[in-house]
Amino acid sequence: MAKYIVKQSGPLKGEVHISGAKNAVLPLMAATLLSEEKCVIRDVPHLRDVALMKELLSSLGSKIEETEEHVLSINTEDIVSTEADFEIVNKMRASILVMGPLLARKGRARVPHPGGCAIGARPIDLHLKGFEALGAILTVGDDYVEAVAGGQGLVGDTIYLDFPSVGATENIMMAAVFAEGTTYIENAAEEPEIVDLANFMNKMGAKIKGAGTDTIKIEGVKSLGSANHTVIPDRIEAGTFMLAAAITRGNVHINNVLPDHLKPVIAKLRECGVRIEVGDEDMIVRGNLGPQYATDIKTLPYPGFPTDIQSPFMAYLTTVEGSSTVIETVFENRFMHVSQLGKMGAIIETAGNKASVKGNAKLRGCQVMATDLRAGAALVLAGLVAEGTTEISEIYHIERGYEYFIEKFAALGAEIERVED
């Protein structure tokens, strides 16, 4: 098993280029199942999850070619199966996103219950509720779920989501694209990744309005064609490098970022005393201009503070002056990194979905484990400022979501390497 060796580093300095967004490219790839023509997706990051999605789409009949670096050509003219492979789905939660397009195009989809990071229950009941509202007949087994379009096919309806789930919004959007009439998704997720998916599908010929608001309107169409699309930058990767600059008291220029997608993170870092200079598609983060102070954060669905940044931000808060409160409202099991940071000397107390963080911790390097993707990033940030050496195991979680992770950090001056144990 591979692990990361992180040594206490000086302030990070230099430039970093942000990759295409993992949470955007996976639904885009799934959406290609809706078309019988070739689609081209650009700025596709080299990630474990992307490789798994390629494997899953190929098993369903897609022909996928990387025509040049970070460019995928996907042809789904022939779908040979409407059943997703158990071994692939078990490794990646985003596999559930093939269910909507398969149901829309072929009238049937069978998918095992998905795996992924163990950060909470994340049930798929909202996905299924949407499919059922469109007229699908559901069968839920112990280890799979199946949806079959009724005799009249799928029919548009108004679907209210009890929670603005990103995955459910995306899946229902894709399922409704061929439904007869008009579908409204109310209390829809508003994340930038939703907008990116809608833009891609509209290029293919869909009629989707309202993406990025709490109500999305989908007018059913007969078919979709080809599209050529560039993935939006990864706001979570950008936020991670913003925090890397802050925690090391460094000075980092971040390129290929959309600052509008990171308003809560920018605001909270500024509250802490970090100077951030924002451009149209770049920013400079200066953590070297004076003392930094505690702040409180509360995760919320977009446009609130992103849950995916909570873990790295908590690592940062252990190094500032004063005490902070972190409240997690999106996933009920997203404090697993707390015990690992505690091994390093962090003083964090949790009660339910609330964590109290004491600043000015004297962090020490030791052996820790990445319990999930963003927790792993938090441990790397802590390792950069901890005295001595930090060994991080289970790094496959991290490599699911960060492209060229080691190379990008090393280029900024971090002492970090990947070794085979």
Side-chain angles (χ1 to χ4, degrees):
M1 297 291 288
K3 60 185 177 182
Y4 289 158
I5 306 297
V6 187
K7 295 182 180 180
Q8 187 176 36
S9 306
L12 299 191
K13 297 178 182 178
E15 295 190 15
V16 62
H17 181 88
I18 300 304
S19 300
K22 174 185 87 78
N23 290 336
V25 73
L26 299 177
L28 295 181
M29 293 173 69
T32 63
L33 292 167
L34 293 164
S35 175
E36 295 185 16
E37 300 180 25
K38 181 176 69 176
C39 292
V40 176
I41 305 176
R42 301 180 182 278
D43 209 4
V44 177
H46 290 295
L47 299 172
R48 182 171 173 268
D49 275 11
V50 170
L52 287 170
M53 184 61 84
K54 287 167 67 176
E55 189 178 346
L56 178 57
L57 294 181
S58 296
S59 72
L60 299 173
S62 300
K63 295 179 175 60
I64 304 175
E65 181 183 0
E66 186 167 2
T67 55
E68 55 185 286
E69 184 78 2
H70 297 115
V71 179
L72 290 184
S73 171
I74 305 177
N75 187 326
T76 55
E77 180 180 359
D78 299 315
I79 294 178
V80 299
S81 173
T82 57
E83 183 168 349
D85 181 85
F86 174 82
E87 293 299 328
I88 302 172
V89 174
N90 191 48
K91 298 174 183 175
M92 180 180 63
R93 179 172 177 78
S95 304
I96 193 67
L97 293 175
V98 302
M99 196 167 188
L102 286 175
L103 178 62
R105 183 169 162 195
K106 304 299 287 186
R108 178 184 180 275
R110 181 182 171 109
V111 178
H113 293 297
C117 282
I119 56 175
R122 299 200 288 181
I124 61 171
D125 57 322
L126 295 180
H127 302 241
L128 304 184
K129 174 184 175 181
F131 299 154
E132 196 167 33
L134 296 173
I137 299 166
L138 302 177
T139 303
V140 180
D142 291 337
D143 55 3
Y144 74 93
V145 59
E146 183 175 46
V148 179
Q152 296 181 336
L154 300 182
V155 179
D157 199 352
T158 297
I159 301 163
Y160 177 85
L161 298 180
D162 296 328
F163 178 83
S165 160
V166 174
T169 301
E170 292 168 340
N171 231 344
I172 296 167
M173 240 168 62
M174 291 187 282
V177 72
F178 297 146
E180 182 180 344
T182 303
T183 299
Y184 293 90
I185 307 174
E186 298 180 342
N187 198 32
E190 302 176 28
E191 271 76 357
E193 294 79 11
I194 302 288
V195 178
D196 206 36
L197 176 60
N199 289 341
F200 178 59
M201 292 174 65
N202 284 339
K203 288 180 182 180
M204 297 164 72
K207 295 182 178 179
I208 302 172
K209 295 181 179 179
T213 74
D214 64 357
T215 301
I216 299 176
K217 176 183 177 182
I218 306 111
E219 292 184 42
V221 297
K222 296 299 182 184
S223 64
L224 295 183
S226 62
N228 191 315
H229 186 79
T230 300
V231 183
I232 58 172
D234 195 316
R235 60 194 172 100
I236 307 304
E237 182 192 4
T240 302
F241 279 102
M242 291 169 69
L243 287 162
I247 199 170
T248 65
R249 301 342 188 224
N251 182 346
V252 176
H253 186 185
I254 302 174
N255 293 311
N256 192 40
V257 59
L258 298 176
D260 279 353
H261 293 174
L262 285 156
K263 287 181 179 179
V265 181
I266 292 171
K268 285 297 176 181
L269 280 174
R270 283 175 170 165
E271 285 181 17
C272 293
V274 178
R275 181 180 295 178
I276 302 175
E277 301 169 12
V278 173
D280 291 336
E281 294 186 4
D282 72 326
M283 65 174 71
I284 298 173
V285 182
R286 301 179 188 274
N288 58 345
L289 298 179
Q292 295 177 31
Y293 302 96
T295 191
D296 299 330
I297 62 172
K298 180 179 181 179
T299 66
L300 290 166
Y302 190 87
F305 192 94
T307 180
D308 281 352
I309 290 293
Q310 180 257 107
S311 310
F313 208 101
M314 188 184 292
Y316 164 66
L317 290 174
T318 67
T319 71
V320 301
E321 296 183 18
S323 298
S324 306
T325 299
V326 176
I327 298 176
E328 173 62 54
T329 73
V330 179
F331 291 123
E332 75 277 9
N333 202 22
R334 203 153 204 177
F335 283 159
M336 292 191 293
H337 55 284
V338 170
S339 63
Q340 302 300 307
L341 288 172
K343 290 182 181 180
M344 301 179 70
I347 302 174
I348 305 169
E349 296 182 359
T350 61
N353 69 336
K354 178 180 176 180
S356 299
V357 185
K358 287 190 177 181
N360 286 327
K362 291 180 171 57
L363 299 181
R364 304 175 303 275
C366 64
Q367 293 183 348
V368 290
M369 177 178 66
T371 53
D372 63 71
L373 168 55
R374 308 306 174 183
L379 295 175
V380 169
L381 296 187
L384 292 174
V385 296
E387 182 180 343
T389 300
T390 302
E391 295 186 10
I392 305 172
S393 62
E394 305 296 324
I395 62 170
Y396 67 90
H397 285 300
I398 302 172
E399 293 173 349
R400 281 185 46 235
Y402 290 97
E403 181 184 42
Y404 305 139
F405 189 75
I406 295 296
E407 293 85 349
K408 289 183 179 183
F409 269 101
L412 296 173
E415 292 194 47
I416 181 171
E417 61 177 332
R418 186 184 194 275
V419 299
E420 294 294 333
D421 191 2

